[in-house]
Amino acid sequence: MSAVATPPPKKVNRIGLEVATYRGAKTTLCAGCGHNAITERIIEAFYEMGVNPSQVIKLSGIGCSSKAPAYFLRTSHGFNAVHGRMPSVATGAVLANQHLLAIGVSGDGDTASIGIGQFVHLMRRNLPLIYIIEDNGCYGLTKGQFSATADIGSKQKTGAVNELPPIDTCTLAIQLGATFVARSFSGDKQQLLAVLKAAIAHRGTAMLDVISPCVTFNDHEGSTKSYDYMKQHDEPLHEIDFVPFFENIEVDYDPGETQEVRMHDGSHLRLRKLDSFYDATDPQKALQVIEEARRKEEVLTGILYVNPAGKTFPDLLRMVDEPLAHLPPERVRPGRAALEEIMEELR
Ligand SMILES: Cc1ncc(C[n+]2csc(CCOP(=O)(O)OP(=O)(O)O)c2C)c(N)n1
Ligand code: SF4
Ligand SMILES: [Mg+2]
């Protein structure tokens, strides 16, 4: 009689969850859409970092990109806001419960066109939020019109040429005080995963502009956000190695070739420099290299700027640490004595 083979143990992460727990509904986006590749990396990053999905809130606006949160972390909290209005909903959610890890997914239209007003105020507040722009340079959901990140001279499928200068969301975010700013490409699995893990460890706004080709409306010759264009013009700034706080951080590296950034939770971000002068903690340098790349028609990718020590919006507002919904009435309602004291001051 042959012995019954026992199935191999299922692979789990450090909190005992399988990767399937981090998945969501089946995607309804076009096959080959860059947004699907970003979803895959988000699933991997949250699984590998051992984030508890019940402690996560997913937020988005409107667009193909804003549908993406439905396709990862099925058991997390979620709020699909109005077009371009995700930042204000995220601000409310994060202030109401600082124990949640917030991730927002937006599009270049949702952020840089209709949502630019909310985006700029979000960037200057350093709200603890991972803010991803799935950037295809067009309004994919409404059939590929130019968005405000489309480059001058970029061609639509119809042949129409964009004549307006683009908004560079990374430049804008750095100028406004965002404390973690990165640019990546949906097709660069290794870089995007490392950037996402570092963004999870960051406390403050982590702004990720991820070039994500729209295969249906913006992947032809003449588009500067197509797979072909990105393969020819992607210029990685540095190799990124991310070591979470729960792993041994004593790994081998050459101090002359790397720059270490210690994140607030004790994780280490290690940037192996290709350009030996690049310092990711210098905002002026970051603005300069982005501008130099733009002039050379290159897309500079990597972590452009990071400041792990910036004060967050809840800190500035001196918010209590506990979720507001958990505070007992005696802590949220001033008593008669407090009211009388205020009245006395007004007399
Ligand atoms: C107030 C409002 N105006 C316009 C629209 C129509 N609309 C829906 S999605 C969209 C653009 C989405 O583009 P983007 O954010 O880049 O997402 P993508 O589909 O490219 O991923 C527009 C204009 C809308 N839903 N609501
Ligand atoms: S239309 Fe473009 S952005 Fe929308 S799902 Fe299809 S490929 Fe992606
Ligand atoms: Mg778009």
Side-chain angles (χ1 to χ4, degrees):
M1 209 167 70
S2 62
V4 181
T6 42
K10 288 203 168 134
K11 213 175 151 209
V12 292
N13 63 7
R14 70 188 181 100
I15 60 164
L17 298 177
E18 291 174 35
V19 71
T21 318
Y22 291 80
R23 299 198 179 282
K26 194 172 178 312
T27 179
T28 56
L29 303 183
C30 308
C33 174
H35 302 350
N36 286 329
I38 301 172
T39 295
E40 288 303 315
R41 300 295 84 71
I42 293 172
I43 292 167
E44 279 172 26
F46 278 72
Y47 167 75
E48 288 179 19
M49 291 290 282
V51 177
N52 185 344
S54 66
Q55 288 298 106
V56 175
I57 178 162
K58 310 175 288 182
L59 301 124
S60 63
I62 299 289
C64 297
S65 34
S66 293
K67 288 164 79 176
Y71 315 135
F72 61 83
L73 299 177
R74 77 176 82 236
T75 56
S76 298
H77 307 276
F79 199 110
N80 187 203
V82 185
H83 198 20
R85 270 63 172 178
M86 178 254 282
S88 51
V89 176
T91 305
V94 170
L95 291 180
N97 187 347
Q98 291 185 63
H99 294 187
L100 294 176
L101 174 65
I103 173 166
V105 180
S106 182
D108 42 301
D110 194 63
T111 291
S113 298
I114 196 170
I116 195 73
Q118 296 226 345
F119 176 72
V120 295
H121 291 285
L122 181 72
M123 291 303 116
R124 59 192 274 272
R125 288 180 172 164
N126 202 25
L127 188 79
L129 168 73
I130 303 165
Y131 188 97
I132 301 175
I133 307 173
E134 300 192 338
D135 188 355
N136 50 20
C138 73
Y139 303 162
L141 191 72
T142 54
K143 301 207 182 319
Q145 302 87 342
F146 289 125
S147 78
T149 69
D151 292 306
I152 292 183
S154 186
K155 255 195 205 142
Q156 253 177 42
K157 209 174 176 178
T158 57
V161 177
N162 178 47
E163 290 175 12
L164 288 172
I167 291 175
D168 187 312
T169 50
C170 290
T171 299
L172 197 55
I174 295 167
Q175 284 170 338
L176 290 164
T179 51
F180 183 115
V181 178
R183 176 162 280 141
S184 192
F185 170 41
S186 62
D188 187 341
K189 288 187 185 182
Q190 206 187 338
Q191 185 194 60
L192 183 53
L193 183 60
V195 172
L196 281 165
K197 285 182 177 178
I200 291 171
H202 180 66
R203 193 170 146 73
T205 304
M207 206 293 282
L208 277 56
D209 179 51
V210 187
I211 309 299
S212 175
C214 167
V215 284
T216 305
F217 297 109
N218 208 10
D219 197 33
H220 44 270
E221 208 182 319
S223 155
T224 58
K225 302 242 187 312
S226 67
Y227 280 110
D228 263 0
Y229 186 92
M230 278 306 290
K231 276 182 205 140
Q232 285 163 27
H233 295 80
D234 185 5
E235 197 56 45
L237 187 57
H238 39 218
E239 284 174 44
I240 304 164
D241 191 5
F242 178 74
V243 186
F245 72 95
F246 48 85
E247 279 178 17
N248 178 17
I249 57 169
E250 301 300 321
V251 290
D252 225 14
Y253 69 97
D254 184 346
E257 295 293 319
T258 63
Q259 183 192 37
E260 290 256 336
V261 182
R262 190 176 187 277
M263 310 300 273
H264 87 283
D265 67 354
S267 305
H268 280 234
L269 181 61
R270 188 170 303 130
L271 306 171
R272 195 166 300 113
K273 296 179 213 174
L274 295 182
D275 175 347
S276 56
F277 300 106
Y278 193 66
D279 174 4
T281 61
D282 179 349
Q284 292 310 322
K285 183 77 197 169
L287 294 172
Q288 186 190 329
V289 290
I290 295 171
E291 177 57 17
E292 282 167 5
R294 188 192 64 79
R295 288 198 200 150
K296 286 191 266 173
E297 297 189 353
E298 285 173 354
V299 184
L300 196 61
T301 60
I303 295 177
L304 298 158
Y305 176 62
V306 61
N307 167 17
K311 254 196 176 182
T312 66
F313 197 44
D315 290 344
L316 281 173
L317 295 180
R318 296 178 192 81
M319 295 293 291
V320 289
D321 182 55
E322 302 101 302
L324 300 187
H326 296 182
L327 294 176
E330 56 275 18
R331 286 192 61 194
V332 287
R333 268 193 230 132
R336 177 163 291 279
L339 281 177
E340 274 168 8
E341 205 179 304
I342 294 168
M343 292 307 290
E344 198 53 44
E345 280 173 17
L346 297 175
R347 267 189 244 277

